[in-house]
Structure formats: C-alpha cells, structure tokens
Amino acid sequence: MGSGCLKVTKYFLFLFNLLFLILGAVILGFGVWILADKTSFIAVLQMSSPSLKTGAYILIGVGALTMLMGFLGCLGAVNEIRCLLGLYFTCLMIILLAQIAAALVIYFQKETLKVELSGIVVDLIEKYDPSDEDKRNLQDAWDYVQIQIACCGWTGAKEWENNEILRNKSNTEYPCSCSNRSKDLVEGRGFCNLEDSLNGTATYTDWPVHEQGCMDGVEEWLKDNLGIILGVCTGVAVIELLGMILAISLCKNIHSEDYTKVPKS
C-alpha cells in the first residue's frame, strides 16, 4: 500500500513539475517580449520608465528560476532524493512569497503608475520631433498606438497644440498618426500639412483627426495584457502550492519507506 502511494505521488509530482517547467518558460518569454517589443505601447513605457525594464528583468529571473525549480522537482521526484525535494520545497515557498509580495506592490502602486504614464505621454507629445533619430523608436511606438486605437493625444488632440514644432508653425500641420483620413495613415508618422488653414493659423479643431484621447484605449490594452500575465502567474502559483504539498508528501513517504526497510532485531 505504502509503495503504491509512493509511486503515485512520485509520478504526480513529476507531471506537475513538467507543467511548472513550461509555465516558467512562458514567464521568461513575457520578460523577453517586454524588452524586445519595439512596435507597441510597451516600447513607450520601456524606453521612458526604468521601472518597466526592472520588472522585465525580474520576470526573466523568476521565469529562469521557475524552470530550474521544475527541473529539480522532476529530478528529485524520479530519483527519490529527500534533500533535493527539501531544497525544492524551500525554493518554491520563497518564489510563492515573492510573487504575492510583487502582486501587492503592483496593486497598491497602480494609481502611481497611471500618473507616471500620463506624464510620460504628455512629455513625449510636447517634444515629438520626426527628425530626432535618437527617439525614433519611441515616437514610432506612439504613432503605432494612435493608429491602432484610432485616437489622438493622451486626453485629446488639444495636447498636440503644445508640441514645439507645431506651435512654431501656428498649428498648420498636425500629427499624421492622429488623422481620420486614410491617405495620411499611409505615411503613419511625422506631421501632415493642413490643406485649408485660415490666415496661416489653425487650432486642433481644424485638424482632420480623431477627437478622443488614447487614455481609455491604452488602459484597456494594459488591462487585457496584464490580465494574461496575472492569469499565467496565478496558474504558476497554484502549481507551486500543489508542488509543495506533493514534495512534502513524497518526502514523508520516502521516510516511511526507509523505515520499513530497516531489519527488525
């Protein structure tokens, strides 16, 4: 009976750790994606906010450690090594506590992140310059956001009136990525000329652009992507908890099995 229970626990732990290994690779992949993405709003955050880069490196570290734990769990389960299972249990507990702490920090800092995000975008709009090659990737990422969400500015098109280049041209040009005309979207970046300007001056109300700002669309996009990440992390946490239970159970069964093999005097 004890031997059968030991085998069942051992193979269950092996299967859980195989899944754990895969989910660790997914977390690592999210971290790499954040660092490598140059075409979506992630690029705006990554190049403007050092906290996102730090978060990406943390995800890569946690993913790599999770994969290592999965490997150690598989090895300890198959070979019934108690010290390895004990190390596995301890590391799982540390990772689980770290994930809970990180989730709490993100939850309580979300309003701060929202304010920081608003400041980043407003500053980007004011200093937007198509000829600045150093900020080309950042500006292209914001153009991509405005085209995909069909929006203009953070809270509205009026924010573009604060752009230094447009202000110097009396707002007779407008951002092409904000345009509601398909011919402007072919260019997709930089500024387009306003065809009918009165007395060589104009305001944002004269521009053929989308009226709504990007704030709501970006927040929805972030919620969708954070939902995926949090869903994966929740799945990993559940597997971690089950892995800890199975590791303790296997250690106990191995201990009992060892005692049954001791010859009676």
Side-chain angles (χ1 to χ4, degrees):
M1 183 73 177
S3 177
C5 184
L6 179 64
K7 285 183 179 180
V8 170
T9 305
K10 181 170 71 173
Y11 290 120
F12 262 113
L13 185 59
F14 177 82
L15 289 173
F16 271 115
N17 279 287
L18 194 59
L19 185 58
F20 196 49
L21 193 70
I22 295 168
L23 286 174
V26 172
I27 292 177
L28 188 146
F30 273 124
V32 172
W33 167 61
I34 289 172
L35 291 177
D37 192 344
K38 300 298 180 185
T39 59
S40 74
F41 191 69
I42 285 290
V44 178
L45 290 176
Q46 185 212 130
M47 296 181 72
S48 304
S49 177
S51 59
L52 188 71
K53 278 189 176 181
T54 303
Y57 286 122
I58 289 172
L59 279 176
I60 291 172
V62 168
L65 186 59
T66 301
M67 291 176 68
L68 177 63
M69 290 303 99
F71 173 74
L72 289 177
C74 288
L75 193 64
V78 170
N79 296 300
E80 300 178 13
I81 305 171
R82 290 189 66 204
C83 62
L84 196 57
L85 288 171
L87 175 63
Y88 169 73
F89 175 86
T90 304
C91 290
L92 275 186
M93 183 179 288
I94 292 170
I95 293 173
L96 187 59
L97 291 174
Q99 285 175 339
I100 293 170
L104 290 173
V105 168
I106 291 170
Y107 179 79
F108 288 112
Q109 290 293 316
K110 60 182 180 180
E111 286 304 318
T112 304
L113 180 62
K114 186 177 177 180
V115 172
E116 184 185 52
L117 187 56
S118 175
I120 290 168
V121 174
V122 169
D123 184 65
L124 169 63
I125 289 172
E126 289 177 357
K127 297 177 180 177
Y128 184 98
D129 182 356
S131 63
D132 188 348
E133 290 298 324
D134 292 336
K135 294 183 178 179
R136 176 71 180 263
N137 287 338
L138 182 62
Q139 293 175 164
D140 284 353
W142 181 244
D143 285 327
Y144 175 83
V145 170
Q146 292 191 138
I147 292 170
Q148 292 301 310
I149 301 178
C151 58
C152 192
W154 184 243
T155 57
K158 183 174 175 59
E159 289 173 338
W160 277 99
E161 286 189 335
N162 297 321
N163 177 269
E164 295 174 11
I165 295 175
L166 295 181
R167 199 165 55 229
N168 291 335
K169 294 184 178 180
S170 302
N171 294 319
T172 54
E173 294 185 1
Y174 58 92
C176 297
S177 58
C178 281
S179 180
N180 52 27
R181 300 189 302 189
S182 57
K183 67 175 184 177
D184 291 334
L185 297 179
V186 173
E187 176 62 27
R189 71 180 307 271
F191 299 120
C192 294
N193 290 312
L194 186 62
E195 295 173 356
D196 302 314
S197 58
L198 297 173
N199 302 320
T201 62
T203 65
Y204 78 96
T205 56
D206 301 314
W207 298 342
V209 298
H210 299 289
E211 294 180 3
Q212 72 274 17
C214 300
M215 181 173 64
D216 293 337
V218 167
E219 286 182 356
E220 192 63 35
W221 182 88
L222 286 173
K223 283 179 184 177
D224 291 343
N225 284 274
L226 283 174
I228 294 170
I229 294 172
L230 288 174
V232 171
C233 290
T234 301
V236 170
V238 170
I239 293 173
E240 284 171 350
L241 195 57
L242 290 171
M244 289 166 66
I245 294 169
L246 287 171
I248 286 295
S249 178
L250 185 57
C251 272
K252 185 180 177 181
N253 282 329
I254 291 171
H255 186 65
S256 301
E257 192 78 9
D258 289 341
Y259 270 108
T260 59
K261 292 177 182 177
V262 176
K264 295 180 181 179
S265 56

